[in-house]
Amino acid sequence: MRGLLLAALASPSLPAPAATVRSRRGIGMATLVVLAAGMSTRYGRLKQVDPMGPCGASIMDYNVYDALRAGFSEVVFVTRPEIEVEIRDHVSRFVGAALPVHFILQTLDDLPPGFSPPPDRTRPWGTAHAALCAADAVRGPFGVCNADDLYGTQAFETLHRHLSTTPLRTEAALVGYTLEDTLSGQGGVSRGICILGRDRLLESVTEIRELRRVEGWIQGEDEDGVPVELRGHEVVSMNLWGFSDPVVAAMRRQLKRFLGRWGADATAEFPLSTALSEQVRLGSVRVAVLPGGDAWVGVTHPADTDRARSALASRIAGGLYPEDLIAAFRSSG
């Protein structure tokens, strides 16, 4: 399996030509993979570049800024052909030459030999497939995050510290958040509910959908539609991960099994939470669950925008983020 790598931006105004990755190549040890191929179906517009801060900065831009300050030296954006130009132009405007930036296209036909997408499929194959699309372009442990979830400075510092430890304490890491702090006030959300074992090692992740507050509880349903009731103190995954080579190798095998069973389905997805939960269950990897530190900020529904902008404005007023993010990137380049 390979991803389509678009070479690093040589300058903000001169996007580089496309090239195809045909073998494992090194982009750098402290690499962050940003998952920016989402369709933003419920949100109604492209969350990856939706203005949230001054100068039109998006949540994605603040994540890259936090990663840069935490020590990540390069960024790989995974996106779709349909929105590639918009993502590239936005990143060029904000990040510029602050650090090497690369782009990978997640396409429906980027599958292992012997598999092909059904003719009626339009949705990407999921976050685990997206991470695998980028894996050919990364050497050594790397971080993975969503483009539209603001994790906070401490989260990236904690993840970078874990990935920089030699030898790695565990094959994978997950930065966890508290369920109560990650809900939308405007509608249901999906979250990966984590069960932790000894030494904060992950035991399982279960995807629960349509989570919302109902009469003092948090209610949702599992993938089979079975009702679930939670209290709010549960640890959840917001897709801020750290991976090493054994995790990637196992994920490639999992993708083949997934396609063998669900490859003809036009909507089935292969998410990171499911992939890592299975690896943990089989005992092939250990996943350290790290504390997030800062409060999570994100948008699922259009009405979440005001709350996210207000949270960012407070952090800017408190000195956690600069007023002019473009200038801050330029001064660090």
Side-chain angles (χ1 to χ4, degrees):
M1 178 180 174
R2 59 172 174 78
L4 183 63
L5 171 66
L6 306 181
L9 291 174
S11 73
S13 59
L14 296 173
T20 301
V21 173
R22 301 192 182 278
S23 62
R24 249 180 122 66
R25 57 181 290 182
I27 286 183
M29 285 296 294
T31 301
L32 178 69
V33 173
V34 179
L35 305 182
M39 299 184 71
S40 305
T41 304
R42 284 189 286 188
Y43 194 63
R45 55 186 183 271
L46 201 58
K47 286 192 287 185
Q48 297 91 315
V49 299
D50 200 26
M52 293 289 166
C55 307
S58 69
I59 285 176
M60 182 173 72
D61 304 318
Y62 290 100
N63 279 336
V64 175
Y65 182 71
D66 281 336
L68 175 63
R69 291 193 292 177
F72 286 90
S73 58
E74 294 172 296
V75 179
V76 175
F77 291 91
V78 181
T79 188
R80 292 180 285 120
E82 300 89 335
I83 60 175
E84 173 203 341
V85 172
E86 192 168 356
I87 296 294
R88 283 176 61 93
D89 288 348
H90 184 92
V91 171
S92 175
R93 179 188 170 206
F94 279 88
V95 180
L99 76 173
V101 172
H102 307 258
F103 295 86
I104 295 285
L105 294 182
Q106 181 186 15
T107 59
L108 296 180
D109 61 353
D110 191 358
L111 300 174
F115 296 98
S116 59
D120 56 342
R121 185 170 186 103
T122 58
R123 297 183 62 84
W125 287 103
T127 52
H129 176 259
L132 286 177
C133 288
D136 279 330
V138 180
R139 177 174 297 166
F142 61 96
V144 175
C145 76
N146 289 339
D148 52 5
D149 290 298
L150 183 67
Y151 301 98
T153 304
Q154 292 183 47
F156 284 102
E157 290 175 349
T158 300
L159 181 60
H160 185 269
R161 187 162 50 247
H162 179 91
L163 295 174
S164 302
T165 302
T166 305
L168 287 175
R169 183 167 68 89
T170 57
E171 295 81 7
L174 168 67
V175 178
Y177 291 82
T178 302
L179 173 60
E180 176 70 29
D181 298 330
T182 67
L183 296 176
S184 168
Q186 309 300 325
V189 297
S190 296
R191 297 288 182 258
I193 307 298
C194 301
I195 301 298
L196 276 56
R198 185 177 179 181
D199 298 327
R200 287 186 64 88
L201 292 180
L202 184 68
E203 291 191 350
S204 68
V205 187
T206 302
E207 283 291 323
I208 304 297
R209 302 167 177 169
E210 293 302 321
L211 284 162
R212 66 186 76 212
R213 295 179 181 88
V214 180
E215 297 179 354
W217 290 79
I218 298 172
Q219 297 180 358
E221 60 183 38
D222 66 14
E223 294 180 338
D224 297 321
V226 177
V228 174
E229 200 167 63
L230 302 167
R231 297 303 300 265
H233 62 269
E234 294 83 1
V235 175
V236 298
S237 164
M238 299 304 298
N239 259 2
L240 181 54
W241 298 89
F243 295 144
S244 61
D245 285 345
V247 177
V248 174
M251 210 180 297
R252 293 187 192 282
R253 298 190 295 271
Q254 290 174 296
L255 176 60
K256 291 181 181 179
R257 293 196 295 271
F258 165 82
L259 292 170
R261 183 176 182 183
W262 300 104
D265 192 307
T267 60
E269 295 187 10
F270 179 44
L272 284 169
S273 58
T274 300
L276 268 295
S277 189
E278 180 183 85
Q279 291 189 29
V280 169
R281 180 177 60 81
L282 295 175
S284 60
V285 303
R286 297 162 301 157
V287 181
V289 180
L290 311 173
D294 299 308
W296 168 90
V297 177
V299 289
T300 301
H301 305 277
D304 295 327
T305 303
D306 288 344
R307 184 173 65 170
R309 288 175 176 164
S310 177
L312 269 171
S314 295
R315 296 188 185 192
I316 292 170
L320 294 178
Y321 291 123
E323 179 72 26
D324 189 337
L325 192 59
I326 294 177
F329 272 121
R330 296 298 181 270
S331 66
S332 63

